Amino acid sequence: MLITHDNILTDRGSKYAVSGGPATSKAEALALLKTLKRQKKFAKATHNTWALLTTDGPLKNDDGEAGAGMVIVRMLERAELHNHLIIVTRWFGGTHLGGDRFRRVQDCVTHYLDHIDPLRG
């Protein structure tokens, strides 16, 4: 089951969404990513960066957004959320964000975590 929060923030023209769902392997993560990309909007996104903590260790893919997958991994580790894929989608708006792009990824993951676990606060 894939949960998507669309249009959660915009920064200098770039738009962001965050999605996720239960996954225990790279194959399951890629299947969820494929499900997301069935929506034309997500298939045409500039980046679909993702990460997942499995019993065998972390899996991640930056999808061209260098370093963003590791940001998601660290946040999953802090939240102690295993076997749950998080995908941060970005549609590039024409202005490079520099290091701020990592803050936007963090904002998206925080939004997702807060909505799957309201007690996390």
Side-chain angles (χ1 to χ4, degrees), residues 46-50 61-69 90 101:
T46 313
H47 308 286
N48 281 294
T49 303
W50 61 266
N61 187 306
D62 292 336
D63 193 29
E65 188 83 286
R90 177 183 179 192
R101 73 185 192 277

Side-chain angles (χ1 to χ4, degrees), residues 9-17 41 44-48 64-65 89-98 101:
L9 66 96
T10 302
D11 186 348
R12 288 166 269 181
S14 286
K15 294 179 181 178
Y16 288 85
K41 173 181 181 176
K44 290 186 171 196
T46 313
H47 308 286
N48 281 294
E65 188 83 286
T89 302
R90 177 183 179 192
W91 293 269
F92 182 64
T95 301
H96 291 282
L97 302 181
R101 73 185 192 277

Side-chain angles (χ1 to χ4, degrees), residues 49-71:
T49 303
W50 61 266
L52 166 68
L53 297 181
T54 69
T55 53
D56 295 329
L59 300 171
K60 64 179 177 63
N61 187 306
D62 292 336
D63 193 29
E65 188 83 286
M70 186 52 75
V71 171

